[in-house]
Amino acid sequence: MREPEHQLRSQNIEEELEQKNDMPLWQTILVITSCSFAMLTTTASNSAVSIALPTMEDDLEIPQAALDWVVAANPLSNGCLLLLFGRLADLYGRKKVFLLGSFWLVAFTLGCSFAQDALTLDILRGFQGLGSAATIPASLGILAHTFPPGKARAIAFATFAAGAPLGGGTGIVFGGLLTQLTPQSWRSPFYLVSGLTVLSMITAMISFNPDHPSTEEDQRVDWIGAFLVTTGLVLIVFVLGQGEVAPEQWSTPYIIALLIVGIIFVLLFLIWQYHLERVQNTTNNNPYPISNSYVVSLSLFALHHLPTPPPIMKMSLWTRARGRVAVVFCIACLNWCCFQGWNYWAILYYQNYVGYSPLRTTVRMVPMFVTGLLCNGFVALFVDHIPMTILVAAGTALTGCSALLFAVINPNAVYWAFGFPSAIIAVIGADFVFACGTMYVAKKCLPHEQSVGGAVFQTMTQLGTALGVTVSTVVFDRVLESRAADNGIDVSDIGSGGPQWLTLPAYKAAMWSCFAFGMCACLLTVIFLRVGIIGHRVRPSRSPTLTEEVEGQKTVTNSARQSAEKGQIERTSLFSAKDHHHLPAGDTEYTNPTTPIRKAHDITENVSCYRH
């Protein structure tokens, strides 16, 4: 079946990029550096706030119950608008969106440093997140569009992923130093992040290539879908952050109502995206709506009275590679629940329970960032040798074990017994999942979908951050309330510190919940994510050593059989044009070594798929 014209143009552009990539070395380095700095500044902004949280609490007189909003306001706006900005970047130019997002980020990061009360800081942090929502998907799209599958792409994505631990280290190390040693205290880290963002913006102006026109014929924006998903995610994330501090906690009427409304909006968004994709793929052989459908009247009403632009997020994206893309998204969400939950409670444990200063806490978190840089270097070097399943499974298991070490921690033990190994292994899962996951998603997206694909991945990590901190906070509060009630103590009188014998079980319980998230991510990887090596593309040759014509039929030679036995011939999944699923070649699906080798005609058929 003939593929749509715009899809063929997208494939042609991808082939041109693969055939000719004559970017100078200095420009290549600056492109990677600028995109990585975007990730660095986003992470540094959040980690600097985390390390300075107790100081902000005292300076601005923020109630402990409201501290979560200082941290969550940025991820709230960031995570809820990633899809919209990803779509805008794909349509109107990734360089434009990146530069505008960077300028916005500089303005509101500086604004945060002048806040005089908690409410103003929360609002400015929320606006600050809009800049990150623009720069991150644009960065992922630029990297995927600039570097075709191969070693260069592996290095680019691994370096971009390294921006997360490096940014976390920059935020915590320099944030702790500036908070404790400068007169401006917690305001100084915002100056630092602003300067780094300006550097990233200047580098982007110099190195990024001009934006190419979008390859899509229909370049309208799905504003209805943008409204539905943004409203739904805002309400859900708001409830997650406010549920514990509401007057009646999760039983508060407005908490229940907003959660239900948020879920309804997200479900309507998914239905709307499915409707738009079916409309885009309508052909004579694939009519829509189907006459015998139960919702035909509703579909006809939408067709006649509502616009039908291309969807922001194709629902088929989740089903590509036999659903493995959806599995990667879910693993990213669960792994971030574990990692960010561990990070949040480890800092509070050191500062509120042990009583360390921001500087001493910083020193104990430094090993995590050193490991993060080493992990991303490891991914860049070995992603084309080790199956993705092994990397992701090992990473998620180790991140879960970092929470386990705190869940069984002995406060009287030396730092090297529990704190140091936990800091060493905590970031491994985040680095492996982010680097491998973004590369895998980029392979399954068309050139004009790269920013949207990265936005969906990043949205799942942001939701994981909100969910992990919220669930672990609920566990912490419930255990603390139970322990306090057993000892006849009013939990409202405990404060941020509290007696150590009372709060320690609550800290451990919170870490147990983070451990559960990590193990769920690991099990999901082992059971459902069967993906092999993703770091390179092997193009099958047309030479007779692979196939040859015998009496009008293609016969696989002995050399091809030997190559198949060694796992050198990759399988590809073809999607029909009516489903509008295009799976770019180049990933090797993971198979059990004991699986019998396919028949010769199957191998020949797959080879011919590459030719056409």
Side-chain angles (χ1 to χ4, degrees), residues 307-328:
T308 55
I312 289 181
M313 179 192 72
K314 293 179 181 178
M315 295 303 297
S316 60
L317 174 64
W318 293 71
T319 62
R320 293 179 187 176
R322 300 181 181 179
R324 292 185 181 91
V325 171
V327 173
V328 170

Side-chain angles (χ1 to χ4, degrees), residues 64 126 229 246 263 268 304 329 337 409 418 493 533 545 558 591:
Q64 185 188 14
V229 69
I263 293 174
L268 288 175
H304 288 96
F329 289 150
C337 288
I409 194 171
F418 294 93
D493 298 332
I533 294 170
T545 59
N558 292 331
T591 54

